[in-house]
Each structure stands twice: as C-alpha cells, then as structure tokens.
Amino acid sequence: MEESKRPEEAGIDEIYRWENAKKWVHRKVVPAGKNRDCFKEVVYTPFLDLEEQYYIGGVRNDRLITITVTESFLKTWDITKEDLEAQAVENMREDDYRMMPMEDVLGLSGMELFPEQDRLYVVTNHKGVFGAAVITEPEILTEFAAQLGGDTYILPSSVHELLLIPASTQNNADWLRRIVHEVNREAVPENEFLSDNIYYFRAAEKTVEIVPKKQIQRAV
C-alpha cells in the first residue's frame, strides 16, 4: 500500500491525486468573498456573514503551507463538493479542538486576570491553524458549551481561533462587540481578520446566529 504523504512532502502530481490529498483537506472560515478575486472558482459555502472554504495544507518549520481548493481540483479529483465537505468534516474531527482559559494561553495559569463574568476561553485546534472553522461544527461547540453551562457568546479572535464566554455570566453584547472591533483594529493582522460581528450559540438548538446590534441576550 502506498504511503500517504503530507502536501509539503508530496510531489505536485501526488497532490492532484484524491487518494493522497484527501487526508490533508481541511475547512476554514473567512470573511465572505475573500480569495475569490484571486481564485475565481474557489469552492465555498456561505455561513452567516462568513464563508466556509477548503484548503490542502500543513505546517512545516512553523510555517503554514496551504493550497486553496478550487472547482478545477474537484474536476481533477473527480469528486463532488459534497465529497469534499464530508472529507473535511471527517478530518476536522481529528484536529483535536480544545478550549482553554485565556490565562492558560497567556502562560498565567492559576491567575485570575478577569472577573468571573468576563472570563474568556480560547478555542482552536492543536495546530493553531484556521481553528475558527469550529464555528461551523455544532457537535464540537455543544461539547464546549456544556462545559460553560449552556448558551455561549462566540467572539471572532481571528481566522485561527475563537473566544467563548458563557451567556449566563455576560449580558452586555454591545460591550463584547466593542472589544472585538477594537482588537481587530489594534492587534489582528489584516490577513487574519475574520469579522466584527459577535455570535451566539444556542446549546439546545445547536445553532449559531449573529447577535444584532443593540440587542442584549441573556440565557434563562
């Protein structure tokens, strides 16, 4: 049996073979319309104010290497968009998504940087690459929401990670939105920007929605 290789290790001909490439197909979320000026046939699915897109990729020497999936790839691989989506979802479930208190991410474990009502939790995958794609996976979000007590606000930190905050401890959505807007302008590189909106995960329904401006929501 031929060994499957990472895209950065495989020759270009191997990448164009579905049996080799499929294990390295992943999903990402980006701002709606991103990449379509460069790749007219990029494969995408709308998701709220974002888009799900797909890439072949890996990390080598701490450098992200990706190839955006276009319609021409589907033709070359002789697969459908549904096949691509199914494989990306399967691979996502092996990406070891994890949720960590902000303090742990900052290397300040044991310290309480934020009051209880403002406690933030970081979600990404084990590579820290395009981890915000988890916003499209209700089953994984449900696991995290259960740990946080139910309905959860989702703040788009970047295309690589999300921030979660329990809705039961926070009722000022506009304050959360201002934080996202300020951080996007001051700390997020332009090519990693995801959205200025904030989102709300309803645990019972397993759905994500954009929180309208001036709307205050609180879990019952």
Side-chain angles (χ1 to χ4, degrees):
M1 180 179 296
E2 184 176 354
E3 181 181 358
S4 179
K5 300 178 181 179
R6 295 180 181 273
E8 61 268 27
E9 297 170 345
I12 192 67
D13 291 339
E14 293 184 80
I15 293 174
Y16 281 98
R17 295 173 55 210
W18 177 239
E19 285 306 310
N20 183 76
K22 68 181 184 179
K23 292 186 180 297
W24 313 112
V25 167
H26 298 274
R27 182 166 58 186
K28 61 184 176 181
V29 289
V30 297
K34 186 173 183 178
N35 296 326
R36 282 194 268 142
D37 287 340
C38 299
F39 304 99
K40 300 298 183 183
E41 297 183 339
V42 64
V43 180
Y44 71 95
T45 301
F47 182 85
L48 300 176
D49 63 323
L50 309 172
E51 281 181 4
E52 301 174 24
Q53 294 182 8
Y54 306 87
Y55 68 97
I56 312 165
V59 175
R60 185 179 188 183
N61 297 327
D62 296 324
R63 181 168 172 260
L64 175 63
I65 301 173
T66 68
I67 302 173
T68 299
V69 175
T70 62
E71 293 288 347
S72 63
F73 272 96
L74 300 189
K75 294 175 184 176
T76 300
W77 290 333
D78 192 23
I79 64 170
T80 65
K81 180 181 175 182
E82 289 70 27
D83 295 330
L84 178 70
E85 168 71 11
Q87 186 64 52
V89 170
E90 180 180 332
N91 292 347
M92 176 179 280
R93 290 171 180 161
E94 298 178 359
D95 278 345
D96 188 22
Y97 277 85
R98 57 192 67 179
M99 179 177 70
M100 301 162 285
M102 177 66 80
E103 290 87 347
D104 290 0
V105 174
L106 297 176
L108 300 172
S109 207
M111 297 182 63
E112 293 188 3
L113 298 181
F114 310 98
E116 184 63 31
Q117 68 272 19
D118 298 332
R119 177 93 24 109
L120 295 170
Y121 297 83
V122 179
V123 172
T124 190
N125 53 38
H126 72 285
K127 295 179 181 178
V129 174
F130 291 126
V134 73
I135 196 173
T136 67
E137 273 300 300
E139 297 304 324
I140 299 177
L141 288 178
T142 296
E143 295 178 14
F144 293 146
Q147 297 176 47
L148 299 180
D151 290 2
T152 304
Y153 283 107
I154 301 174
L155 312 186
S157 178
S158 72
V159 295
H160 299 304
E161 64 185 25
L162 301 174
L163 302 179
L164 305 185
I165 186 168
S168 60
T169 66
Q170 179 57 248
N171 66 357
N172 193 336
D174 291 321
W175 176 72
L176 295 177
R177 184 178 290 102
R178 286 196 298 274
I179 290 178
V180 169
H181 186 273
E182 290 175 7
V183 171
N184 278 338
R185 300 302 178 279
E186 297 174 6
V188 179
E190 184 177 354
N191 65 339
E192 296 182 8
F193 169 82
L194 186 56
S195 176
D196 278 332
N197 281 313
I198 63 173
Y199 307 87
Y200 194 86
F201 179 67
R202 297 191 181 278
E205 294 84 0
K206 298 184 179 181
T207 58
V208 176
E209 61 194 52
I210 296 174
V211 178
K213 293 182 179 179
K214 301 298 181 183
Q215 178 172 331
I216 294 176
Q217 301 193 32
R218 191 180 185 99
V220 177

